[in-house]
Amino acid sequence: MISQTSLSFYERPIELIERAVSRVERVIVGKRENIVQTVVAMLCGGHVLIEDVPGVGKTMLARALAQTMGCTFQRIQFTSDVMPTDITGVSVYNPQTLEFEFRQGPIMANLVLADEINRATARTQSALLEAMEERRVTVDGVTRPLPEPFVLLATQNPFDFEGTYRLPEAQLDRFMLRISLGYPSAEQETEILTRLQEQHPLETIKPVLLADELARMQREVRSVHVDEAIKQYIVAAAQTTRTHPDLALGASPRASLAWMRVAQAQAYARGRTYVVPDDVKAMAVPVLAHRLVLKPQARMAGKRSEEIVRQLMNTLPVPMFRGEAGARQR
């Protein structure tokens, strides 16, 4: 349980989080909100899908975060010919020992960048499902745990681009957040040119955290108090999506759990020992939008899942809760 008597418990985590965000901002200009959202997801062990057009810094954001966190890092470039064993690993026969030896794949790292994940076939994408949900992989009938912590950062281009495949709903549901960077402003793009003129800022980034520190912070996040009224608020929003007239598929219970976890991490990153409704509302779109499937008539009418989530959160009554007092009673 988190100590309620001393703020010093939070001073170092807050300091580390701010330093991590600031260092990534050296590489990714003008996208502080996206950086903070990704760091928050990593604090609760969540996987992040970074979706946007080519060339806006998706891969660079993932690389900068990995370098800042100081964890073991592997990058997988997805193409149509990548096989599942290229990700999980494969057993290779050793003629000297007359036995099969396991050669681990790139998935065996703390932070894994799945670059252009939707360029791979469905069979290859499915190789990630067990790793993303259960933090383990099974090869030739043998199950092997992934290192702790384990976070997957995936990038993808819009699904209608040449050579891309739509991610199945079961895989999308395993991503805690989906974010989009968007194009920079003219001033931001000029700043990018200036920073990269002589040296890439990624070359100067030093780690802020170590793997065991990140794992410790992930455990501490789970101790952040969530009032019963906040839980009911999350569940009410999720259930509303399941009966929404424009949606063929609403948010799953896994989405509700992910929403609570990311709200805890949001509170933790802000130095609180308890979740407030604003923590929930702030993460509603990145947590829910990619999990919702619009009905054909809604798509034809130009509706978007992001707008549906915003409208839902604006109409849902904000709960009354005990806040800090409830946290102290634990």
Side-chain angles (χ1 to χ4, degrees), residues 180-325:
S180 179
L181 298 179
Y183 286 115
S185 65
E187 293 78 10
Q188 292 168 349
E189 194 162 357
T190 303
E191 178 64 20
I192 292 172
L193 298 182
T194 301
R195 292 190 186 185
L196 271 67
Q197 182 174 349
E198 296 184 1
Q199 184 182 31
H200 200 296
L202 193 65
E203 299 174 7
T204 64
I205 288 184
K206 303 297 183 183
V208 172
L209 292 171
L210 298 177
D212 58 345
E213 290 179 302
L214 179 58
R216 174 182 58 81
M217 294 171 76
Q218 289 177 347
R219 291 191 293 269
E220 291 171 355
V221 163
R222 296 200 171 207
S223 297
V224 172
H225 176 68
V226 186
D227 192 85
E228 194 68 22
I230 298 292
K231 295 177 184 177
Q232 293 173 0
Y233 183 47
I234 293 173
V235 170
Q239 291 195 336
T240 301
T241 65
R242 297 166 197 167
T243 58
H244 196 284
D246 290 327
L247 296 177
L249 182 65
S252 66
R254 184 192 283 126
S256 300
L257 178 59
W259 202 358
M260 183 185 73
R261 294 286 187 222
V262 80
Q264 288 178 292
Q266 178 92 333
Y268 179 84
R270 294 180 176 180
R272 274 185 277 104
T273 61
Y274 57 92
V275 174
V276 300
D278 282 347
D279 295 323
V280 177
K281 293 183 69 174
M283 290 296 183
V285 172
V287 169
L288 293 183
H290 65 288
R291 306 172 191 265
L292 307 180
V293 177
L294 294 171
K295 290 182 178 179
Q297 57 267 34
R299 289 200 303 270
M300 293 178 64
K303 295 184 179 181
R304 302 177 70 245
S305 58
E306 291 84 355
E307 289 303 320
I308 291 176
V309 173
R310 292 190 186 100
Q311 292 171 5
L312 168 63
M313 298 310 296
N314 288 335
T315 57
L316 200 66
V318 177
M320 299 294 292
F321 71 108
R322 292 176 295 172
E324 187 173 7

